[in-house]
Amino acid sequence: MLCDYHVHTHYSDDSEYLMEDVVKDGINRGLSEICFTDHVDYGIKYDWDDPRAFQKRYETLLANVNYPEYEKEIDELKEKYKDQITLKMGLEFGIQTHTIEKYQKLFHEYPFDFIILSIHQVEDQEFWTQDFQKGKTQLEYNMRYYQEMLEVVKTYKDYSVLGHMDLITRYDLNGVIDFAYIQDIVKDILEIVIKDGKGIEINTSYHRYGLKDMTPSRNILKLYKELGGQIITIGSDSHQPDHLGAYIEEAREELKKLGFEYYCTFDKMQPIFHEL
């Protein structure tokens, strides 16, 4: 089976990809399963029914997912395409330490199958604009990024996998930091993830961002395996048609090379293991 477990639609403020078009394209590309994981980024964005959501920052609306409409459309598409593809309801939570309570509340309001925990901002500062990195050395902003991740996973437990764990690499103008500098803190994070029965994802968007390594890096994947980690999902981080399902099969082959035997899908927040 071929599954994409990181998919954004027009419910995310950075995508115009209609949800039903995603489903049709997925069927045409031979996908067996899609999990929708649209963006929620408290701290820099507001809920769909908050007037402030219609302000703009960096020419982007500050709106999180319209949750009731999101759930409704997924349920309708599940029924309409039930004989052709499996659809799951997830979200990508862009959590920061000061926003944890909002996500705890949101998680218990809807019947999620899957949650990606991502660190998209720190102290409400964006990586892609370089606001977060400004005034810091490469070591300082890398360590601060992972420290935020560590503090979040110590407290927040309602998630399935860590998303694009070394995301900061994508926006590091100084290149990729030597893994030796961050290995200890990455190990601390992974030990908590494994102890809590959570996982990590392979995010195949490293291709379109022109990165030299996988996301997360092979060093992180090797460490995860050495520590006993087994739960891994694979997602394209799709925002438009040419992203959907891209390089999923390649990622599976790379996992095999690293010695992994399984990848996961999810149902009602429980991992389901499939042979690679």
Side-chain angles (χ1 to χ4, degrees):
M1 59 189 293
L2 194 62
C3 309
D4 195 336
Y5 257 65
H6 195 145
V7 175
H8 298 283
T9 74
H10 66 287
Y11 287 97
S12 289
D13 62 356
D14 58 356
S15 176
E16 297 178 355
Y17 201 176
L18 296 178
M19 187 174 274
E20 186 162 12
D21 288 346
V22 173
V23 175
K24 290 177 180 178
D25 288 345
I27 293 167
N28 289 335
R29 292 173 198 184
L31 290 175
S32 307
E33 189 165 324
I34 288 172
C35 185
F36 296 108
T37 57
D38 281 288
H39 284 299
V40 182
D41 289 288
Y42 289 122
I44 67 159
K45 298 175 188 173
Y46 304 97
D47 275 338
W48 58 277
D49 55 353
D50 187 321
R52 292 173 294 178
F54 299 97
Q55 301 170 12
K56 283 191 175 183
R57 184 185 185 201
Y58 305 118
E59 299 305 311
T60 303
L61 289 176
L62 304 179
N64 288 319
V65 173
N66 183 330
Y67 313 117
E69 287 297 320
Y70 186 68
E71 181 185 24
K72 180 175 179 288
E73 184 165 3
I74 290 175
D75 285 344
E76 290 173 350
L77 292 173
K78 279 182 179 179
E79 179 61 27
K80 184 173 181 179
Y81 294 97
K82 62 184 178 183
D83 296 326
Q84 299 175 72
I85 194 168
T86 299
L87 304 175
K88 296 294 176 70
M89 177 174 164
L91 284 173
E92 182 177 13
F93 285 1
I95 303 183
Q96 303 176 68
T97 51
H98 70 281
T99 61
I100 286 174
E101 288 186 9
K102 288 180 177 290
Y103 290 99
Q104 288 172 329
K105 180 176 183 294
L106 173 60
F107 176 78
H108 293 288
E109 291 180 352
Y110 295 92
F112 296 112
D113 290 301
F114 180 70
I115 297 292
I116 299 173
L117 190 169
S118 296
I119 305 297
H120 286 147
Q121 303 87 23
V122 177
E123 297 164 7
D124 292 338
Q125 293 180 316
E126 299 275 20
F127 310 142
W128 64 277
T129 62
Q130 300 296 311
D131 288 348
F132 171 67
Q133 296 93 316
K134 192 179 302 179
K136 301 181 184 76
T137 67
Q138 184 185 37
L139 180 58
E140 286 171 343
Y141 57 72
N142 271 274
M143 288 300 293
R144 181 67 189 89
Y145 167 77
Y146 287 108
Q147 186 63 46
E148 183 79 358
M149 188 180 297
L150 178 60
E151 294 305 315
V152 169
V153 298
K154 283 180 178 178
T155 303
Y156 188 76
K157 307 298 180 181
D158 295 324
Y159 71 97
S160 310
V161 299
L162 281 184
H164 40 52
M165 187 175 173
D166 55 358
L167 175 67
I168 192 67
T169 300
R170 186 191 298 175
Y171 304 108
D172 194 337
L173 301 182
N174 291 302
V176 180
I177 195 167
D178 189 326
F179 189 63
Y181 289 119
I182 59 170
Q183 181 170 346
D184 287 347
I185 193 166
V186 169
K187 181 173 182 284
D188 290 343
I189 294 166
L190 291 175
E191 286 177 338
I192 294 172
V193 168
I194 293 166
K195 178 177 177 291
D196 289 341
K198 311 301 182 184
I200 63 175
E201 74 155 1
I202 289 186
N203 186 304
T204 67
S205 69
Y206 62 89
H207 277 282
R208 65 177 184 264
Y209 286 104
L211 302 180
K212 295 179 181 178
D213 203 345
M214 299 173 69
T215 300
S217 69
R218 288 173 176 82
N219 281 326
I220 291 177
L221 289 165
K222 289 174 185 176
L223 181 57
Y224 180 63
K225 186 176 186 299
E226 288 170 8
L227 293 170
Q230 297 183 8
I231 297 173
I232 293 186
T233 59
I234 305 172
S236 66
D237 208 341
S238 169
H239 288 75
Q240 60 191 51
D242 59 314
H243 299 166
L244 186 65
Y247 303 104
I248 300 292
E249 291 176 301
E250 177 190 287
R252 290 171 59 168
E253 292 304 312
E254 291 294 332
L255 281 174
K256 287 182 187 178
K257 291 177 186 177
L258 291 168
F260 289 95
E261 298 179 26
Y262 303 96
Y263 71 99
C264 290
T265 57
F266 274 75
D267 185 62
K268 299 179 175 61
M269 297 298 292
Q270 296 301 311
I272 301 168
F273 288 84
H274 308 271
E275 288 189 8
L276 284 165

